[in-house]
């Protein structure tokens, strides 16, 4: 529906709060929603049915929040999920915090008790507003049915502005079931608040000038991008600036896709795991950090980057600048706008800068070739069980440029963060690094697949993460999504097992899983299922999954069971580990 159609579709008359919620969401043009019903929000569900809006029953509200979160990342529009009073609402917490930390716009609805009876031990009653408040950017309690449109407007404005985030509307039963005489004017929405970034703010001009001078004088500048580049959709500005000034670009897991990993200026992942980026950071004389929090993993536990290197930090959230590492120059503003301004400030110097940095840029292919040579044995490994690096190589070959890879919180995300190459800029790699929960892969894949129905979507997850979410395979099948789910089957809570190997001399506790045939389970659930034990069969199995467009396919991959080889081996992991250290 176009914005004009929506605007002419504004209802009036007597209706309950649930209907008003649905009418507003329709006006906002939101996509499919994810939730599980309960008494309090049933008028809302009924309105969805009457209005023909898409809503998917999920089997755990946490998955609804994950699916909505991934949906939002793919579309840049708020993802919508709901949960009923009490356990439904509290199950939303993990998914909402993912969105809060990752800066993802979301609208969540939670039913709450009827105010005529609250605090009288109503069934499922709990102090949910207090539990949910720190999980969201803003929690809005709706106290009057008449205020439903106004407060949903507010929710969109908050969710999509500044650093985006989730907003929770806590809706008491009597507000949802209660009725009000609405006028057509009540139903209105500001179209500029429906996608991110809702508004752009430019850094201060004087700060841009100072930053430009610093970068202009640098011989070995480097750009470090985080997830903010996606929130700002700053791809063109990043590429234009990096190319005009001959500046290499490194990325965090969340920032992958700022420029294509296959672009000659991309030096890959930096932080805990790196190909060549960390060594280039060490040798840099000026860092430009864009939309990146410089958190634990990006900084190798605050060991990177060295304090001696001047650092320009561009971020939409002022208080994020300098939190972990003092910034020489703070640029408070939108990533795209800031990069455009820097490019403009340095435009006259671009030719000279490119010439001066020719040798520097020339190092990238040489260093990458050196890394590839060192990693070749792993990337090309034909060992069984299958080497994770080989799997990543096969993903690089099998997945087309427009595909989306959703990566779960276990090793799946770390390995693909390091070795998976996006072939074009944009949201082609979606890891849940906001909270790094395991279990995001499958529901995140559902959300991404529904957001981009024509796009090949692959979700890669550990067996532990998949076990958490097995029930959502039913959701995926019911939704008819042609999602490929790659299970990294190491019969272990591998991350934990690897740490126990490294730090506790192999005294394993609660880190083994029983060997399962997830392909057979998938087939029993009416989905496609392929089990792969031979690395030579990986490509065909992935292609089989990608070719299936109307139901999910599980590709169950038997990978190394050796806990000494579970960490991304292409990393410099030969660190000396003392008890109490975290290596991964
Ligand atoms: C909800 C949640 N619980 C615990 C953890 C800690 N954790 C990180 S990775 C991991 C192992 C997960 O096992 P699996 O999904 O099989 O992935 P693997 O590391 O074996 O590839 C655990 C328990 C987490 N990230 N999220
Ligand atoms: Mg595992």
């Amino acid at each position: 529906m176009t914005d004009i159609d929506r605007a002419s579709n504004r209802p009036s008359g007597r209706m309950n709060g649930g209907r008003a919620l649905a009418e507003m969401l329709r006006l906002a043009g939101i996509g499919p929603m994810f939730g599980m019903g309960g008494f309090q929000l049933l008028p809302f569900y009924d309105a969805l049915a009457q209005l023909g809006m898409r809503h998917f029953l999920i089997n755990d509200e946490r998955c609804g929040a994950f699916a909505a979160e991934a949906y939002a990342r793919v579309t840049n529009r708020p993802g919508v999920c709901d949960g009923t009073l009490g356990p439904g609402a509290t199950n939303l917490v993990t998914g909402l915090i993912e969105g809060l930390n990752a800066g993802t716009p979301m609208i969540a609805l939670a039913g709450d008790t009827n105010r005529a009876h609250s605090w009288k031990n109503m069934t499922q009653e709990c102090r949910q507003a207090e539990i949910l408040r720190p999980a969201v950017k803003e929690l809005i309690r709706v106290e009057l049915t008449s205020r439903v449109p106004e407060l949903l407007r507010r929710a969109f404005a908050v969710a999509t502005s500044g650093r985006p985030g989730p907003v929770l509307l806590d809706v008491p039963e009597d507000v949802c079931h209660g009725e009000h005489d609405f006028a057509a004017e009540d139903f209105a929405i500001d179209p500029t608040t429906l996608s991110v970034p809702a508004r752009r703010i430019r850094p201060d001009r004087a700060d841009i000038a100072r930053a430009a001078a610093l970068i202009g004088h640098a011989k070995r500048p480097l750009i470090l991008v985080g997830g903010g580049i996606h929130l700002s959709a700053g791809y063109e500005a990043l590429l234009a600036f990096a190319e005009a000034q001959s500046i290499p670009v490194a990325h965090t897991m969340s920032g992958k896709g700022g420029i294509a990993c296959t672009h000659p200026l991309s030096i890959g992942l930096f932080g805990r795991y790196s190909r060549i980026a960390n060594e280039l950071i060490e040798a840099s004389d000026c860092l430009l950090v864009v939309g990146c929090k410089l958190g634990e993993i990006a900084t190798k536990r605050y060991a990177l980057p060295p304090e001696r290197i001047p650092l320009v930090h561009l971020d939409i959230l002022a208080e994020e600048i300098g939190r972990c590492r003092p910034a020489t120059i703070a640029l408070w503003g939108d990533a795209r706008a800031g990069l455009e301004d820097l490019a403009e400030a340095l435009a006259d110097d671009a030719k000279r800068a490119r010439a001066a940095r020719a040798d520097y840029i020339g190092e990238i292919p040489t260093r990458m070739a050196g890394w590839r040579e060192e990693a070749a044995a792993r990337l090309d490994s034909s060992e069984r069980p299958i080497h994770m690096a080989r799997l990543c190589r096969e993903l690089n070959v099998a997945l087309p440029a427009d595909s989306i890879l959703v990566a779960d919180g276990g090793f799946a995300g770390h390995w693909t963060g390091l070795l998976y190459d996006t072939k074009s800029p944009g949201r082609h790699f979606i890891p849940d690094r906001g909270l790094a929960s395991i279990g995001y892969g499958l529901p995140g894949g559902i959300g991404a697949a529904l957001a981009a129905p024509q796009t090949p979507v692959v979700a890669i997850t550990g067996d532990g993460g998949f076990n958490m979410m097995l029930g959502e395979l039913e959701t995926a099948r019911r939704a008819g999504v042609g999602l490929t789910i790659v299970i990294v089957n190491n019969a272990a809570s591998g991350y934990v097992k690897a740490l126990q190997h490294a730090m506790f001399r192999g005294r394993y506790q609660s880190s083994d899983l029983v060997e399962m045939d997830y392909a057979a389970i998938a087939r029993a659930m009416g989905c496609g299922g392929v089990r792969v034990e031979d690395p030579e069969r990986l490509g065909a199995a992935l292609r089989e999954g990608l070719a299936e467009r109307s139901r999910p396919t599980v590709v169950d991959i038997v990978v190394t069971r050796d806990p000494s080889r579970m960490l991304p081996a292409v990393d410099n992991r030969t660190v000396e580990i003392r008890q109490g250290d975290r290596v991964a």
Side-chain angles (χ1 to χ4, degrees):
M1 202 192 286
T2 68
D3 285 346
I4 293 165
D5 288 339
R6 269 201 296 279
S8 61
N9 213 355
R10 289 155 62 171
S12 62
R14 192 156 186 83
M15 69 184 84
N16 60 39
R19 174 82 185 219
L21 283 168
E23 293 283 5
M24 277 302 287
L25 290 173
R26 186 164 74 136
L27 214 55
I30 54 102
M33 294 162 268
F34 307 90
M36 185 185 279
F39 181 71
Q40 291 70 26
L41 291 183
L42 280 187
F44 170 65
Y45 275 52
D46 186 51
L48 296 180
Q50 289 186 43
L51 294 171
M53 295 172 74
R54 290 177 88 198
H55 182 282
F56 290 94
L57 167 63
I58 37 69
N59 289 301
D60 179 330
E61 291 82 353
R62 175 180 42 166
C63 301
F66 281 154
E69 206 269 347
Y71 178 90
R73 288 203 208 191
V74 174
T75 59
N76 278 347
R77 298 167 78 90
V80 181
C81 58
D82 60 84
T84 191
L85 164 68
T90 58
N91 274 350
L92 291 172
V93 168
T94 308
L96 291 174
I97 302 178
E98 174 59 37
L100 180 69
N101 291 358
T104 311
M106 298 169 73
I107 308 278
L109 307 176
D112 207 335
T113 46
N114 187 318
R115 288 168 302 169
H117 302 295
S118 54
W119 309 122
K120 288 169 22 193
N121 295 333
M122 290 194 80
T123 177
Q124 301 189 315
E125 180 169 30
C126 71
R127 290 159 67 160
Q128 66 186 46
E130 286 158 77
I131 293 165
L132 286 158
R133 187 164 280 115
V136 292
K137 187 174 174 188
E138 190 156 288
L139 184 143
I140 301 173
R141 168 97 168 160
V142 187
E143 297 284 359
L144 289 171
T145 303
S146 60
R147 294 190 66 189
V148 163
E150 170 207 344
L151 294 176
L152 249 178
R153 258 195 304 281
R154 167 84 188 148
F156 275 94
V158 174
T160 57
S161 63
R163 182 202 275 169
V167 176
L168 185 119
L169 249 68
D170 190 65
V171 189
E173 174 195 307
D174 50 307
V175 170
C176 190
H177 289 245
E179 296 190 338
H180 175 76
D181 286 316
F182 287 97
E185 307 78 78
D186 292 330
F187 293 94
I189 191 111
D190 178 349
T192 65
T193 64
L194 298 180
S195 60
V196 296
R199 321 196 190 289
R200 295 190 191 270
I201 177 151
R202 311 197 90 84
D204 182 84
R205 279 183 166 278
D207 293 336
I208 287 284
R210 287 169 58 226
L214 196 68
I215 295 165
H217 285 116
K219 293 190 171 59
R220 304 179 63 87
L222 210 54
I223 302 174
L224 309 180
V225 288
I229 198 71
H230 295 294
L231 297 168
S232 160
Y235 312 116
E236 279 175 29
L238 174 62
L239 187 63
F241 180 61
E243 284 184 340
Q245 298 292 323
S246 281
I247 307 180
V249 180
H251 59 79
T252 62
M253 279 193 264
S254 303
K256 191 189 275 288
I259 64 171
C261 296
T262 48
H263 189 280
L265 285 174
S266 174
I267 57 169
L269 187 70
F270 72 96
R272 181 185 287 173
Y273 301 116
S274 146
R275 302 181 189 183
I276 62 168
N278 284 1
E279 62 197 46
L280 280 165
I281 290 176
E282 294 278 356
S284 170
D285 59 357
C286 179
L287 298 168
L288 170 61
V289 177
V290 180
C292 172
K293 295 185 273 191
L294 290 177
E296 177 186 353
I297 296 191
T299 60
K300 279 183 94 176
R301 243 197 194 200
Y302 315 105
L304 265 183
E307 296 268 334
R308 66 185 145 77
I309 306 176
L311 185 148
V312 178
H313 198 164
L314 167 60
D315 204 281
I316 191 73
L317 208 60
E319 58 266 39
E320 213 55 79
I321 301 171
R323 184 203 286 268
C324 304
R325 161 76 161 73
T328 317
I329 297 167
L331 297 181
W332 178 24
D334 172 75
R336 186 182 94 184
L339 286 164
E340 285 168 354
D341 289 355
L342 284 172
E344 193 186 310
L346 284 164
D348 293 345
D349 189 41
K351 207 169 160 199
R352 181 210 59 82
R354 279 200 302 276
R357 292 174 189 148
D359 287 349
Y360 170 46
I361 291 303
E363 287 176 29
I364 299 174
T366 316
R367 284 180 190 255
M368 270 297 184
W371 168 79
R372 264 185 205 290
E373 204 180 303
E374 190 268 326
R378 295 180 287 271
L379 291 165
D380 305 337
S381 165
S382 49
E383 69 185 40
R384 296 165 72 154
I386 293 168
H387 199 292
M388 282 296 290
R390 174 67 190 269
L391 168 58
C392 292
R393 195 197 87 172
E394 298 291 340
L395 287 168
N396 281 337
V397 174
L399 268 55
D402 64 337
S403 60
I404 297 172
L405 180 64
V406 179
D408 201 70
F411 281 148
H414 290 285
W415 278 95
T416 49
L418 181 64
L419 296 179
Y420 180 67
D421 286 331
T422 59
K423 297 161 191 95
S424 47
R427 290 272 200 194
H428 298 290
F429 179 70
I430 299 190
D432 62 324
R433 299 314 303 178
L435 195 58
S437 173
I438 62 168
Y440 180 87
L442 174 53
I446 295 172
L450 287 167
Q454 307 307 324
T455 304
V457 179
V458 176
I460 183 165
T461 174
D463 41 1
F466 186 70
N467 287 341
M468 266 184 172
M469 299 297 163
L470 195 49
E472 298 309 327
L473 207 49
E474 186 275 330
T475 311
R477 188 184 149 200
R478 184 164 26 86
V481 289
L483 169 69
T484 303
I485 303 129
V486 170
I487 301 181
V488 173
N489 185 338
N490 54 13
S493 196
Y495 168 90
V496 177
K497 193 165 184 177
L499 291 184
Q500 288 171 343
H501 170 84
M503 299 164 67
F504 300 96
R505 298 193 170 75
R507 291 195 302 276
Y508 302 117
Q509 172 63 52
S510 305
S511 54
D512 279 316
L513 295 168
V514 77
E515 180 72 50
M516 298 271 258
D517 183 341
Y518 293 100
I521 293 170
R523 287 194 297 270
M525 292 175 76
C527 306
V530 190
R531 187 162 166 102
V532 186
E533 298 182 15
D534 175 357
E536 304 305 327
R537 289 212 52 246
L538 280 170
L542 291 170
R543 282 192 296 278
E544 188 179 329
L546 290 171
E548 174 61 74
R549 301 306 300 149
S550 57
R551 62 173 189 166
T553 302
V554 167
V555 181
D556 182 25
I557 303 178
V558 179
V559 300
T560 184
R561 267 100 168 110
D562 178 352
S564 71
R565 306 172 66 225
M566 286 179 174
L567 292 166
V570 281
D571 183 25
N572 54 334
R573 65 193 179 98
T574 49
V575 286
E576 190 186 323
I577 302 158
R578 290 170 309 246
Q579 200 154 349
D581 279 357
R582 276 183 64 184
V583 294

